[in-house]
Amino acid sequence: MSDDVLALWPLAPVSEADWLAELAQDDGLTGYEVPGRPDAAWVLGGIYERGTSASDSVNNSQSRDEHPGPGWERLRWAQLADRLGDPVVPQGLYPCFRCFPSMKAGGIRPGSIEWPAEGSLDRPTWDQLIRFLTERSLQGADTACLAYYNPLVAQDFEKGHVRCGRLGDAASLFDNPDILYTPSNLWATDRSWIVCTDYDLWGSKVCGPRPMIGALLEDTEIEAIRLPWTS
């Protein structure tokens, strides 16, 4: 992590993340039902389609992803689902590699689709989400936040990884060279909202007040859907 980001997001006591255990349901981090935050939606990770003149993607699809590069266009999940005749997310699933079961029979040429990385939003989607949260948090860019990294993504089971900072500086968390994922959890210290990113999934769950989640579902840049609390 660069010195600039270290200064913006210093380490916080591991105990700051204790409340996460109180939220987890039987199905793990994806099952949060947060008292006082009665609604939730899933922000879907970026799917990109390769044009005929596109260069090879800059990504390795193993962690957080950049935009793939010139000639690649964002393909909304809803567009691909409509093309294939599949639901955006099949009943009983979360956003993951099991979505779009008709791909093999759908006439999509091999190598033309880049899927989201598991366990981390891509930079364009992360930046859009931080912009959205900043606009709808009472303190705006000055909203105090905490970021937690699951030991699976931190690759360190001996100590916790919790950092504190301003929401207005949260875009910089994408550039952590030590942990190549966006945070497993990002939340306002007043606990008015929380972002949950599971290690195996292609999206992040945002829990918060109904007006916030309603606005998230209607946002023209972010692609978000509402799923049942449990699968």
Side-chain angles (χ1 to χ4, degrees):
M1 183 178 285
S2 70
D3 291 342
D4 288 344
V5 179
L6 278 173
L8 293 172
W9 288 89
L11 288 170
V14 177
S15 59
E16 293 284 4
D18 288 349
W19 84 294
L20 298 177
E22 302 172 10
L23 305 182
Q25 305 296 301
D26 290 342
D27 57 351
L29 292 181
T30 57
Y32 286 148
E33 290 191 60
V34 187
R37 288 148 293 275
D39 205 357
W42 285 85
V43 173
L44 303 175
I47 297 174
Y48 293 89
E49 186 168 31
R50 184 174 190 163
T52 55
S53 60
S55 58
D56 290 340
S57 172
V58 301
N59 299 314
N60 59 19
S61 296
Q62 294 180 352
S63 55
R64 63 195 178 203
D65 283 347
E66 304 281 352
H67 185 285
W72 291 83
E73 298 293 335
R74 181 71 174 261
L75 179 62
R76 294 180 71 85
W77 289 52
Q79 291 175 309
L80 182 57
D82 185 64
R83 188 186 304 179
L84 297 173
D86 288 333
V88 175
V89 175
Q91 180 67 32
L93 293 181
Y94 294 118
C96 68
F97 70 93
R98 291 188 174 89
C99 296
F100 306 110
S102 301
M103 273 294 296
K104 291 183 179 179
I108 307 295
R109 68 183 188 278
S112 65
I113 300 293
E114 179 169 295
W115 302 108
E118 292 185 343
S120 182
L121 292 178
D122 54 290
R123 186 189 294 273
T125 306
W126 176 254
D127 288 348
Q128 290 164 2
L129 178 58
I130 298 306
R131 180 267 308 164
F132 173 87
L133 294 170
T134 301
E135 291 176 353
R136 285 162 179 81
S137 296
L138 289 178
Q139 302 301 318
D142 290 328
T143 300
C145 293
L146 290 158
Y148 167 74
Y149 294 90
N150 186 296
L152 286 171
V153 301
Q155 298 184 1
D156 185 351
F157 291 87
E158 298 301 321
K159 58 184 180 181
H161 290 265
V162 183
R163 295 189 173 273
C164 58
R166 295 170 63 252
L167 181 56
D169 297 322
S172 67
L173 291 170
F174 192 90
D175 294 307
N176 182 347
D178 298 325
I179 304 177
L180 301 181
Y181 295 82
T182 51
S184 306
N185 299 99
L186 178 72
W187 68 96
T189 56
D190 66 4
R191 302 182 182 179
S192 56
W193 53 260
I194 182 171
V195 179
C196 314
T197 304
D198 188 89
Y199 181 74
D200 294 320
L201 300 182
W202 285 357
S204 294
K205 187 174 185 179
V206 182
C207 300
R210 286 194 175 92
M212 172 183 279
I213 300 305
L216 179 63
L217 292 165
E218 295 175 358
D219 192 275
T220 57
E221 288 188 332
I222 300 171
E223 188 172 16
I225 60 172
R226 182 183 277 114
L227 295 176
W229 285 109
T230 57
S231 292

Short mmCIF file of all heavy atoms in Angstrom, two decimals, residues 175-210:
data_model
loop_
_atom_site.label_atom_id
_atom_site.label_comp_id
_atom_site.label_asym_id
_atom_site.label_seq_id
_atom_site.Cartn_x
_atom_site.Cartn_y
_atom_site.Cartn_z
N ASP A 175 -6.43 0.50 -4.69
CA ASP A 175 -5.02 0.40 -5.08
C ASP A 175 -4.13 -0.14 -3.97
O ASP A 175 -2.94 0.17 -3.93
CB ASP A 175 -4.53 1.78 -5.52
CG ASP A 175 -5.22 2.24 -6.79
OD1 ASP A 175 -5.21 1.49 -7.78
OD2 ASP A 175 -5.79 3.34 -6.79
N ASN A 176 -4.69 -0.95 -3.10
CA ASN A 176 -3.91 -1.59 -2.05
C ASN A 176 -3.07 -2.71 -2.67
O ASN A 176 -3.60 -3.74 -3.07
CB ASN A 176 -4.86 -2.16 -1.00
CG ASN A 176 -4.15 -2.81 0.17
OD1 ASN A 176 -2.96 -3.06 0.12
ND2 ASN A 176 -4.89 -3.08 1.22
N PRO A 177 -1.74 -2.55 -2.77
CA PRO A 177 -0.93 -3.59 -3.41
C PRO A 177 -0.72 -4.82 -2.54
O PRO A 177 -0.29 -5.86 -3.03
CB PRO A 177 0.40 -2.88 -3.68
CG PRO A 177 0.48 -1.85 -2.60
CD PRO A 177 -0.93 -1.39 -2.36
N ASP A 178 -1.01 -4.70 -1.24
CA ASP A 178 -0.82 -5.82 -0.33
C ASP A 178 -2.00 -6.78 -0.32
O ASP A 178 -1.85 -7.97 -0.04
CB ASP A 178 -0.57 -5.31 1.09
CG ASP A 178 0.69 -4.47 1.18
OD1 ASP A 178 1.65 -4.79 0.46
OD2 ASP A 178 0.70 -3.50 1.95
N ILE A 179 -3.20 -6.25 -0.59
CA ILE A 179 -4.43 -7.07 -0.61
C ILE A 179 -5.14 -6.73 -1.91
O ILE A 179 -5.74 -5.67 -2.05
CB ILE A 179 -5.33 -6.78 0.60
CG1 ILE A 179 -4.55 -7.00 1.90
CG2 ILE A 179 -6.56 -7.69 0.58
CD1 ILE A 179 -5.34 -6.66 3.15
N LEU A 180 -5.08 -7.63 -2.89
CA LEU A 180 -5.53 -7.33 -4.24
C LEU A 180 -7.03 -7.56 -4.42
O LEU A 180 -7.47 -8.17 -5.40
CB LEU A 180 -4.73 -8.16 -5.24
CG LEU A 180 -3.21 -7.94 -5.19
CD1 LEU A 180 -2.50 -8.79 -6.22
CD2 LEU A 180 -2.87 -6.46 -5.39
N TYR A 181 -7.80 -7.05 -3.47
CA TYR A 181 -9.25 -7.12 -3.53
C TYR A 181 -9.80 -5.83 -2.94
O TYR A 181 -9.14 -5.16 -2.13
CB TYR A 181 -9.80 -8.29 -2.70
CG TYR A 181 -9.41 -9.66 -3.21
CD1 TYR A 181 -8.17 -10.22 -2.89
CD2 TYR A 181 -10.28 -10.39 -4.00
CE1 TYR A 181 -7.80 -11.47 -3.36
CE2 TYR A 181 -9.93 -11.65 -4.47
CZ TYR A 181 -8.69 -12.18 -4.15
OH TYR A 181 -8.34 -13.43 -4.63
N THR A 182 -11.02 -5.47 -3.35
CA THR A 182 -11.70 -4.41 -2.63
C THR A 182 -12.08 -4.94 -1.25
O THR A 182 -12.12 -6.16 -1.03
CB THR A 182 -12.94 -3.95 -3.40
OG1 THR A 182 -13.76 -5.07 -3.76
CG2 THR A 182 -12.55 -3.20 -4.68
N PRO A 183 -12.35 -4.08 -0.27
CA PRO A 183 -12.62 -4.56 1.09
C PRO A 183 -13.78 -5.56 1.14
O PRO A 183 -14.76 -5.44 0.41
CB PRO A 183 -12.97 -3.27 1.84
CG PRO A 183 -12.25 -2.20 1.11
CD PRO A 183 -12.32 -2.60 -0.33
N SER A 184 -13.64 -6.54 2.01
CA SER A 184 -14.73 -7.49 2.23
C SER A 184 -15.95 -6.78 2.80
O SER A 184 -17.09 -7.15 2.50
CB SER A 184 -14.28 -8.60 3.18
OG SER A 184 -13.10 -9.21 2.72
N ASN A 185 -15.71 -5.78 3.63
CA ASN A 185 -16.79 -4.96 4.19
C ASN A 185 -16.32 -3.52 4.27
O ASN A 185 -15.20 -3.24 4.68
CB ASN A 185 -17.18 -5.43 5.60
CG ASN A 185 -17.69 -6.85 5.61
OD1 ASN A 185 -16.95 -7.77 5.94
ND2 ASN A 185 -18.94 -7.04 5.25
N LEU A 186 -17.21 -2.64 3.90
CA LEU A 186 -17.01 -1.20 4.07
C LEU A 186 -18.27 -0.67 4.71
O LEU A 186 -19.38 -0.97 4.22
CB LEU A 186 -16.76 -0.51 2.74
CG LEU A 186 -16.58 1.01 2.79
CD1 LEU A 186 -15.24 1.39 3.41
CD2 LEU A 186 -16.71 1.63 1.40
N TRP A 187 -18.15 0.09 5.80
CA TRP A 187 -19.37 0.59 6.43
C TRP A 187 -19.11 1.94 7.09
O TRP A 187 -17.99 2.27 7.45
CB TRP A 187 -19.93 -0.40 7.44
CG TRP A 187 -19.13 -0.64 8.68
CD1 TRP A 187 -19.29 -0.05 9.91
CD2 TRP A 187 -18.04 -1.57 8.86
NE1 TRP A 187 -18.39 -0.53 10.83
CE2 TRP A 187 -17.61 -1.47 10.21
CE3 TRP A 187 -17.39 -2.47 8.00
CZ2 TRP A 187 -16.55 -2.24 10.71
CZ3 TRP A 187 -16.34 -3.23 8.50
CH2 TRP A 187 -15.95 -3.11 9.84
N ALA A 188 -20.20 2.72 7.18
CA ALA A 188 -20.15 3.97 7.92
C ALA A 188 -20.06 3.65 9.40
O ALA A 188 -20.69 2.71 9.89
CB ALA A 188 -21.39 4.81 7.63
N THR A 189 -19.27 4.43 10.14
CA THR A 189 -19.12 4.15 11.57
C THR A 189 -20.42 4.31 12.33
O THR A 189 -20.55 3.74 13.42
CB THR A 189 -18.03 5.04 12.18
OG1 THR A 189 -18.35 6.42 11.95
CG2 THR A 189 -16.67 4.72 11.59
N ASP A 190 -21.38 5.07 11.79
CA ASP A 190 -22.68 5.15 12.45
C ASP A 190 -23.55 3.94 12.12
O ASP A 190 -24.69 3.84 12.58
CB ASP A 190 -23.40 6.45 12.10
CG ASP A 190 -23.80 6.55 10.62
OD1 ASP A 190 -23.59 5.58 9.87
OD2 ASP A 190 -24.31 7.62 10.23
N ARG A 191 -23.03 3.02 11.30
CA ARG A 191 -23.68 1.76 10.93
C ARG A 191 -24.99 1.98 10.17
O ARG A 191 -25.87 1.11 10.20
CB ARG A 191 -23.89 0.88 12.16
CG ARG A 191 -22.58 0.58 12.88
CD ARG A 191 -22.77 -0.33 14.08
NE ARG A 191 -21.50 -0.57 14.77
CZ ARG A 191 -21.36 -1.30 15.86
NH1 ARG A 191 -22.42 -1.89 16.38
NH2 ARG A 191 -20.17 -1.46 16.42
N SER A 192 -25.10 3.08 9.49
CA SER A 192 -26.31 3.35 8.71
C SER A 192 -26.35 2.53 7.44
O SER A 192 -27.43 2.27 6.89
CB SER A 192 -26.40 4.84 8.37
OG SER A 192 -25.24 5.28 7.69
N TRP A 193 -25.20 2.10 6.93
CA TRP A 193 -25.14 1.23 5.75
C TRP A 193 -23.86 0.40 5.82
O TRP A 193 -22.91 0.73 6.52
CB TRP A 193 -25.18 2.03 4.45
CG TRP A 193 -24.15 3.13 4.33
CD1 TRP A 193 -24.35 4.47 4.54
CD2 TRP A 193 -22.75 2.99 3.98
NE1 TRP A 193 -23.17 5.17 4.36
CE2 TRP A 193 -22.18 4.29 4.01
CE3 TRP A 193 -21.93 1.92 3.66
CZ2 TRP A 193 -20.84 4.53 3.72
CZ3 TRP A 193 -20.59 2.14 3.38
CH2 TRP A 193 -20.06 3.44 3.40
N ILE A 194 -23.88 -0.70 5.09
CA ILE A 194 -22.71 -1.58 5.02
C ILE A 194 -22.66 -2.23 3.64
O ILE A 194 -23.71 -2.57 3.06
CB ILE A 194 -22.73 -2.64 6.13
CG1 ILE A 194 -21.47 -3.53 6.06
CG2 ILE A 194 -23.98 -3.48 6.08
CD1 ILE A 194 -21.30 -4.46 7.25
N VAL A 195 -21.47 -2.39 3.12
CA VAL A 195 -21.22 -3.09 1.86
C VAL A 195 -20.56 -4.42 2.20
O VAL A 195 -19.59 -4.47 2.95
CB VAL A 195 -20.31 -2.28 0.93
CG1 VAL A 195 -20.05 -3.05 -0.38
CG2 VAL A 195 -20.94 -0.92 0.62
N CYS A 196 -21.09 -5.51 1.65
CA CYS A 196 -20.60 -6.86 1.95
C CYS A 196 -20.18 -7.54 0.65
O CYS A 196 -20.99 -7.67 -0.28
CB CYS A 196 -21.69 -7.70 2.61
SG CYS A 196 -22.57 -6.86 3.93
N THR A 197 -18.92 -7.96 0.57
CA THR A 197 -18.40 -8.62 -0.63
C THR A 197 -17.88 -9.99 -0.25
O THR A 197 -16.91 -10.10 0.49
CB THR A 197 -17.27 -7.79 -1.27
OG1 THR A 197 -17.76 -6.47 -1.54
CG2 THR A 197 -16.81 -8.42 -2.58
N ASP A 198 -18.51 -11.02 -0.76
CA ASP A 198 -18.12 -12.39 -0.44
C ASP A 198 -17.01 -12.87 -1.37
O ASP A 198 -16.97 -12.52 -2.55
CB ASP A 198 -19.33 -13.32 -0.57
CG ASP A 198 -19.03 -14.71 -0.07
OD1 ASP A 198 -19.22 -14.98 1.12
OD2 ASP A 198 -18.58 -15.54 -0.89
N TYR A 199 -16.13 -13.69 -0.84
CA TYR A 199 -14.95 -14.14 -1.55
C TYR A 199 -15.28 -14.85 -2.86
O TYR A 199 -14.50 -14.81 -3.82
CB TYR A 199 -14.13 -15.07 -0.63
CG TYR A 199 -12.85 -15.60 -1.23
CD1 TYR A 199 -11.74 -14.77 -1.37
CD2 TYR A 199 -12.74 -16.94 -1.63
CE1 TYR A 199 -10.55 -15.26 -1.91
CE2 TYR A 199 -11.56 -17.42 -2.16
CZ TYR A 199 -10.47 -16.58 -2.31
OH TYR A 199 -9.30 -17.06 -2.84
N ASP A 200 -16.41 -15.54 -2.94
CA ASP A 200 -16.72 -16.39 -4.10
C ASP A 200 -17.72 -15.77 -5.07
O ASP A 200 -18.12 -16.44 -6.02
CB ASP A 200 -17.30 -17.73 -3.62
CG ASP A 200 -16.29 -18.56 -2.86
OD1 ASP A 200 -15.11 -18.57 -3.28
OD2 ASP A 200 -16.65 -19.16 -1.85
N LEU A 201 -18.13 -14.54 -4.86
CA LEU A 201 -19.22 -13.99 -5.64
C LEU A 201 -18.78 -12.88 -6.59
O LEU A 201 -17.69 -12.34 -6.49
CB LEU A 201 -20.33 -13.49 -4.71
CG LEU A 201 -20.95 -14.57 -3.81
CD1 LEU A 201 -22.07 -13.99 -2.97
CD2 LEU A 201 -21.45 -15.76 -4.62
N TRP A 202 -19.70 -12.54 -7.52
CA TRP A 202 -19.45 -11.55 -8.56
C TRP A 202 -20.18 -10.23 -8.28
O TRP A 202 -20.48 -9.48 -9.21
CB TRP A 202 -19.94 -12.08 -9.90
CG TRP A 202 -19.08 -13.13 -10.52
CD1 TRP A 202 -17.90 -13.62 -10.07
CD2 TRP A 202 -19.35 -13.82 -11.75
NE1 TRP A 202 -17.42 -14.57 -10.93
CE2 TRP A 202 -18.28 -14.71 -11.97
CE3 TRP A 202 -20.40 -13.77 -12.68
CZ2 TRP A 202 -18.22 -15.55 -13.08
CZ3 TRP A 202 -20.34 -14.60 -13.79
CH2 TRP A 202 -19.26 -15.48 -13.99
N GLY A 203 -20.47 -9.96 -7.07
CA GLY A 203 -21.17 -8.73 -6.73
C GLY A 203 -21.04 -8.44 -5.25
O GLY A 203 -20.51 -9.25 -4.48
N SER A 204 -21.53 -7.27 -4.85
CA SER A 204 -21.48 -6.84 -3.46
C SER A 204 -22.87 -6.47 -2.98
O SER A 204 -23.62 -5.80 -3.70
CB SER A 204 -20.55 -5.63 -3.30
OG SER A 204 -19.21 -5.98 -3.58
N LYS A 205 -23.19 -6.89 -1.77
CA LYS A 205 -24.49 -6.59 -1.19
C LYS A 205 -24.40 -5.31 -0.38
O LYS A 205 -23.50 -5.15 0.45
CB LYS A 205 -24.94 -7.74 -0.29
CG LYS A 205 -26.37 -7.61 0.24
CD LYS A 205 -26.74 -8.87 1.01
CE LYS A 205 -28.20 -8.84 1.46
NZ LYS A 205 -28.58 -10.07 2.17
N VAL A 206 -25.31 -4.38 -0.64
CA VAL A 206 -25.38 -3.12 0.09
C VAL A 206 -26.64 -3.14 0.95
O VAL A 206 -27.75 -3.30 0.42
CB VAL A 206 -25.41 -1.91 -0.86
CG1 VAL A 206 -25.44 -0.61 -0.06
CG2 VAL A 206 -24.20 -1.94 -1.79
N CYS A 207 -26.49 -3.02 2.26
CA CYS A 207 -27.61 -2.96 3.19
C CYS A 207 -27.73 -1.54 3.72
O CYS A 207 -26.73 -0.92 4.11
CB CYS A 207 -27.39 -3.90 4.37
SG CYS A 207 -27.21 -5.64 3.93
N GLY A 208 -28.93 -1.03 3.75
CA GLY A 208 -29.13 0.33 4.23
C GLY A 208 -30.60 0.70 4.29
O GLY A 208 -31.48 -0.15 4.11
N PRO A 209 -30.90 1.96 4.52
CA PRO A 209 -32.29 2.42 4.59
C PRO A 209 -33.00 2.22 3.25
O PRO A 209 -32.37 2.25 2.18
CB PRO A 209 -32.15 3.91 4.92
CG PRO A 209 -30.77 4.08 5.44
CD PRO A 209 -29.94 3.04 4.77
N ARG A 210 -34.29 2.04 3.31
CA ARG A 210 -35.06 1.80 2.08
C ARG A 210 -34.89 2.91 1.04
O ARG A 210 -34.76 2.62 -0.16
CB ARG A 210 -36.53 1.58 2.41
CG ARG A 210 -36.81 0.22 3.04
CD ARG A 210 -38.29 -0.13 3.06
NE ARG A 210 -38.47 -1.48 3.56
CZ ARG A 210 -38.69 -1.80 4.83
NH1 ARG A 210 -38.75 -0.83 5.74
NH2 ARG A 210 -38.85 -3.04 5.20
#
